[in-house]
């Protein structure tokens, strides 16, 4: 019988990091004498911003209507206004340059399906470039869209900047898109203006699109991260050609359960993506669109959240030692053996963290730059961060 239902691209994907973690912990128990600390997932655990319940209540009637996939003009206008304020942009057109997203996860995945031609080009399938280690959605997106993933190593030696110089000419020539993530999950690296400028030059030279995952843009230690659209505009690219940015209310507003975010940039790319999304249909319910518009229009709650993250980072590194990352609420710590360390942290200290190996991929040299690191999320406030640091320091492998 022919194999009609097996999807070979899906088969190429490994298990998702949290599935691998479940397997690692299978048959092991956390130290019963300590309360469990879950620093595995990047899930902000802060109180709901005050406007959420009121705005939702006022707009409950919207649940009886089908929302449009692109998002209502009120929400897209609030997003455009936020982008203009945040990045000092002269103009963002809410009609042609902005879409609503159901969180960035789905849009980061789906975009590769809109922008990659899976047919062979010049004898090989196009490449999708991504940092390594990375948010694993980029990898899943590249593979299922029929592209070849190409990994940009992010190593301690280069401050965890994804290494553009390591990309061979034949890969650039066949690149369809590149994912950037700044501030980076998991390393905390932040792209500066020069990095974006270099990317834009490369994109023009080799004809590819840039997708910038900005979902930690409001979580930084000292310097507010620059943005791709801002750099594009400074270079006179007011149409944001080749650029798409994605951002989310999950981290900025601590609303991961609301599943709301934004996509913005090049109107041509937005148009292509809109076509795909008109079939996949990830529309945000209307009452949630109202909450989202309120969240993009308020910076008070964002500043309060940032204060908590900064206190948490300070508390953690005050005990653990080492340098505070430039951005995000993750700590990325070198250890001798990341899987052994994560298992020991679970058994000895009742702490859940992720081995870096699960967030990286083996590159063409057989190297996984995530190996030898663990990732912990500081999402429960400064006291919990201090306790987490004490416990991680006490782990023995
Ligand atoms: C780097 C990165 N991008 C995107 C996302 C997706 O977030 P959401 O779908 O909640 O917007 C996450 C979530 O953890 C992330 O870490």
């Amino acid at each position: 019988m022919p194999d009609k239902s097996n999807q070979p691209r899906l088969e190429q994907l490994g298990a998702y990091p949290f599935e691998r973690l479940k397997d690692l912990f299978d048959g092991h128990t956390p130290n019963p004498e300590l309360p469990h600390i879950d620093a595995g997932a990047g899930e902000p655990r802060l109180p709901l911003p005050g406007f959420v319940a009121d705005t939702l209540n006022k707009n409950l009637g919207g649940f009886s209507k089908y929302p449009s996939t692109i998002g209502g003009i009120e929400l897209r206008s609030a997003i455009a206004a936020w982008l203009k304020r945040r990045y000092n942009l002269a103009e963002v057109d809410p009609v042609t340059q902005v879409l609503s997203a159901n969180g960035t996860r789905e849009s980061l995945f789906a975009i590769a399906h809109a922008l990659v031609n899976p047919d062979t080009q010049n004898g090989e399938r196009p490449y999708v470039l991504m940092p390594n280690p990375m948010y694993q959605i980029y990898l899943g997106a590249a593979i299922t869209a029929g592209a070849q993933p190409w990994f940009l190593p992010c190593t301690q030696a280069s401050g965890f900047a994804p290494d553009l110089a390591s990309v061979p000419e034949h890969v650039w020539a066949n690149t369809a898109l590149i994912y950037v993530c700044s501030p980076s999950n998991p390393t905390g690296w932040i792209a500066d203006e020069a990095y974006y400028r270099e990317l834009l030059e490369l994109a023009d030279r080799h004809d590819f699109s840039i997708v910038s995952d900005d979902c930690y843009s409001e979580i930084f230690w000292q310097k507010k991260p620059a943005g791709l659209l801002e750099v594009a505009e400074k270079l006179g690219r007011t149409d944001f050609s080749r650029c798409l940015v994605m951002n989310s209310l999950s981290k900025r507003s601590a609303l991961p359960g609301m599943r709301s975010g934004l996509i913005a940039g090049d109107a041509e790319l937005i148009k292509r993506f809109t076509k795909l999304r008109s079939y996949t249909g990830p529309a945000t319910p209307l009452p949630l669109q109202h909450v989202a518009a309120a969240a993009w229009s308020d910076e008070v709650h964002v500043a309060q959240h940032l204060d908590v993250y900064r206190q948490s980072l300070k508390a953690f590194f005050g005990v653990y030692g080492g340098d505070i990352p430039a951005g995000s609420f993750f700590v990325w710590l070198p250890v001798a053996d990341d899987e052994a360390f994560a298992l020991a942290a679970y058994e000895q200290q009742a702490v859940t963290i992720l081995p870096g190996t699960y967030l990286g991929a083996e590159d063409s040299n057989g190297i996984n730059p995530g190996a030898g690191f663990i990732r912990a999320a500081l999402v429960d406030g400064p006291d919990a961060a201090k306790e987490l640091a004490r416990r991680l320091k006490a782990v023995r492998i």
Side-chain angles (χ1 to χ4, degrees):
M1 293 271 274
D3 182 359
K4 289 180 289 188
S5 52
N6 195 24
Q7 165 52 274
R9 288 179 190 163
L10 200 55
E11 293 303 314
Q12 269 184 55
L13 293 182
Y16 202 67
F18 292 105
E19 294 302 314
R20 294 178 73 181
L21 192 65
K22 231 196 279 166
D23 288 346
L24 179 72
F25 289 170
D26 192 29
H28 300 267
T29 43
N31 183 343
E33 283 163 25
L34 293 169
H36 179 242
I37 299 180
D38 180 5
E43 178 189 60
R45 299 184 192 121
L46 292 164
L48 272 187
F51 55 80
V52 172
D54 282 352
T55 314
L56 190 60
N57 274 330
K58 269 191 220 137
N59 293 285
L60 284 176
F63 280 127
S64 34
K65 293 196 179 114
Y66 269 122
S68 74
T69 303
I70 58 173
I73 191 64
E74 297 80 7
L75 172 57
R76 284 180 292 139
S77 299
I79 290 171
W82 179 76
L83 285 166
K84 282 167 65 176
R85 278 196 309 277
R86 169 64 174 84
Y87 296 109
N88 205 16
L89 302 171
E91 197 45 65
V92 177
D93 180 0
V95 176
T96 60
Q97 294 179 319
V98 176
L99 291 175
S100 159
N102 283 17
T104 39
R105 184 185 181 128
E106 64 87 5
S107 38
L108 287 163
F109 181 84
I111 191 65
H113 294 254
L115 301 186
V116 171
N117 179 350
D119 296 339
T120 301
Q121 312 285 313
N122 313 321
E124 57 179 353
R125 282 177 295 120
Y127 287 96
V128 168
L129 276 50
M130 64 196 73
N132 190 19
M134 86 296 276
Y135 183 48
Q136 296 281 304
I137 299 303
Y138 316 147
L139 181 55
I143 289 175
T144 56
Q148 305 186 72
W150 184 271
F151 303 115
L152 305 165
C154 309
T155 60
Q156 205 158 16
S158 55
F160 298 109
D163 184 6
L164 299 172
S166 65
V167 182
E169 207 50 31
H170 77 95
V171 172
W172 282 128
N174 218 359
T175 294
L177 79 87
I178 183 169
Y179 287 104
V180 207
C181 181
S182 167
S184 152
N185 168 12
T187 67
W189 167 81
I190 287 183
D192 59 13
E193 292 199 15
Y195 194 88
Y196 285 126
R197 269 201 303 275
E198 188 177 355
L199 268 183
L200 285 162
E201 277 168 30
L202 287 161
D204 282 341
R205 197 173 330 140
H206 302 292
D207 184 25
F208 62 81
S209 308
I210 305 168
V211 173
S212 185
D213 176 356
D214 300 347
C215 77
Y216 295 96
S217 66
E218 307 316 291
I219 303 170
F220 52 91
W221 176 238
Q222 280 172 325
K223 195 165 177 271
K224 209 171 215 184
L228 177 63
L229 300 187
E230 174 183 21
V231 176
E233 194 187 85
K234 280 186 189 163
L235 293 169
R237 299 168 89 101
T238 48
D239 60 356
F240 307 127
S241 58
R242 305 188 187 282
C243 303
L244 281 181
V245 297
M246 306 210 180
N247 208 323
S248 172
L249 292 173
S250 301
K251 319 292 178 181
R252 161 194 157 87
S253 298
L255 293 170
M258 204 171 84
R259 313 308 306 130
S260 183
L262 68 83
I263 304 152
D266 183 334
E268 272 309 304
L269 300 180
I270 292 274
K271 203 162 137 190
R272 271 204 260 166
F273 197 27
T274 302
K275 184 169 181 188
L276 178 77
R277 289 163 66 81
S278 68
Y279 280 85
T280 57
T284 306
L286 285 170
L288 299 183
Q289 288 194 30
H290 285 281
V291 180
W296 290 114
S297 307
D298 179 75
E299 294 305 319
V300 175
H301 74 288
V302 181
Q304 286 164 350
H305 294 175
L306 178 58
D307 192 43
V308 176
Y309 290 127
R310 283 177 165 162
Q311 286 179 41
S312 301
L313 286 162
K314 205 167 156 189
F316 182 93
F317 286 96
V319 173
Y320 198 86
D323 294 334
I324 295 179
S328 90
F329 49 56
F330 294 113
V331 297
W332 183 241
L333 308 170
V335 293
D337 176 332
D338 52 306
E339 272 194 321
F341 190 95
L343 188 55
Y346 188 64
E347 289 189 315
Q348 295 167 18
Q349 298 295 331
V351 166
T352 297
I353 49 175
L354 267 181
T357 298
Y358 299 178
L359 296 168
E362 240 179 52
D363 63 20
S364 54
N365 300 313
I367 293 169
N368 179 338
F373 288 87
I374 55 100
R375 188 194 80 176
L378 306 187
V379 285
D380 288 308
D383 292 342
K386 205 181 273 180
E387 175 63 10
L388 176 65
R390 274 192 218 108
R391 295 214 208 157
L392 291 181
K393 260 189 114 159
V395 172
R396 296 287 170 265
I397 54 172

